[in-house]
Structures are given as structure tokens and as C-alpha cells.
Amino acid sequence: MSESVAIALGSNLGDSRGILEGAIEQLRSPLWELQQSHWYRTRAVGPPQPDYLNGCVIGKTALEPLELLQRLFDIEHQFGRVRRERWGARTLDLDLLLYGDRILNSPQLQVPHPRLRERPFVLVPLADIAPDWRDPLSGCSIKELQEALNCSDVTRLS
């Protein structure tokens, strides 16, 4: 059995575009039918740091949510991610945003991502590839969630 998933990607240290493109290649193993958004430059949230390069992918997976989460952590580690400071600068950030229409709330994983509905840097690229996907908590489409936010700080690059 397979499930559709949405994953956010972000980087603001090193060769961000190269790191993100490499991460997408690594995601081709646990995911198939992969679709990629455009890339966007966004201001960082948290302590002073460089702007982020952000994007999203959607695809299908046979992995269970916690297995997929572990695979995302493994890919982050492969690209030099070190978890030091919440919302700090990072070479790679991969967030599991949606796993079909499931709602999960455990100490290890919350799906939908708990801040999905308030993050333009996630909703804008996700709306590129999944505008009609419905957030299982609010019932709103990704496009509706995006339109409800001020997204002026999100600049499309490609």
C-alpha cells in the first residue's frame, strides 16, 4: 500500500541549491511519482541568519510515517545537518508536512506539521504542486491556507 506525502525542504548554509537538489535525489528512494515545486528565497525565522532557499516535493511512499521521518533525518545528517539551536541556520531541513489525510500526534511526530498553516515559506511552494490538497485539521485547501497569509517575503527564484 502507498500513501501520498508532502515534504518541505529548506537550506541556508553552504551551497543551498546543490544541497536541496541532492536531497531530492535521495528522496527518490523512499518516494516515487515525485513532483517538485519552484525554489523560493525567504527570510529566516528565529535568530539572525542568512535567507533560506525553500521548496516542497510531493510523492508516494510505502514507508510508515515514523519510518519516513527517520529516512528524512538520515538524509539531513548525510548533508551535514547538526541540530544545535531551534530555528537556527542549517545546511538542510526536511519536514514531513502531510501524510495522506492522516492526523498523527505523538512525541516523535505530528502530522499535519503543527506550523503548516502559518508558514508562507511552506504554503507557497506546496501550492505550486498540491493546491487542492486538503489540510485534514482545518479542511482548507493548501491554496486557501496560502491565500489567508501575507506571503510578500517569499520570492520565487525558478
Side-chain angles (χ1 to χ4, degrees):
M1 184 171 145
S2 67
E3 191 65 71
S4 295
V5 297
I7 297 168
L9 301 94
S11 173
N12 72 342
L13 291 179
D15 174 15
S16 291
R17 186 174 293 235
I19 289 167
L20 294 174
E21 289 173 358
I24 288 173
E25 284 307 308
Q26 293 299 311
L27 287 168
R28 294 184 188 282
S29 171
L31 304 180
W32 64 92
E33 295 181 22
L34 201 66
Q35 295 178 52
Q36 176 185 339
S37 73
H38 296 281
W39 294 120
Y40 292 85
R41 181 162 314 283
T42 60
R43 284 196 199 135
V45 174
Q49 58 188 293
D51 289 348
Y52 271 86
L53 188 60
N54 291 102
C56 287
V57 296
I58 60 172
K60 296 198 178 291
T61 189
L63 297 177
E64 287 298 315
L66 287 175
E67 292 174 307
L68 180 56
L69 181 66
Q70 184 57 57
R71 183 70 182 114
L72 298 181
F73 288 157
D74 292 346
I75 294 169
E76 287 179 341
H77 181 73
Q78 176 184 343
F79 285 91
R81 168 79 186 263
V82 177
R83 294 177 183 272
R84 290 191 181 109
E85 168 182 32
R86 186 172 189 185
W87 295 321
R90 58 202 70 174
T91 55
L92 179 62
D93 186 32
L94 299 174
D95 286 330
L96 179 55
L97 302 173
L98 296 161
Y99 190 98
D101 60 1
R102 289 196 202 181
I103 298 171
L104 303 169
N105 193 357
S106 74
Q108 299 89 4
L109 177 63
Q110 287 181 277
V111 175
H113 190 283
R115 289 170 296 287
L116 167 72
R117 290 165 294 287
E118 60 196 51
R119 290 184 163 173
F121 62 88
V122 170
L123 291 172
V124 171
L126 188 54
D128 282 350
I129 52 178
D132 299 323
W133 194 330
R134 296 240 168 234
D135 167 31
L137 290 175
S138 69
C140 295
S141 72
I142 297 302
K143 188 69 174 167
E144 291 167 335
L145 293 171
Q146 177 209 336
E147 289 171 349
L149 295 179
N150 175 358
C151 298
S152 61
D153 286 344
V154 180
T155 305
R156 182 175 156 179
L157 298 179
S158 65

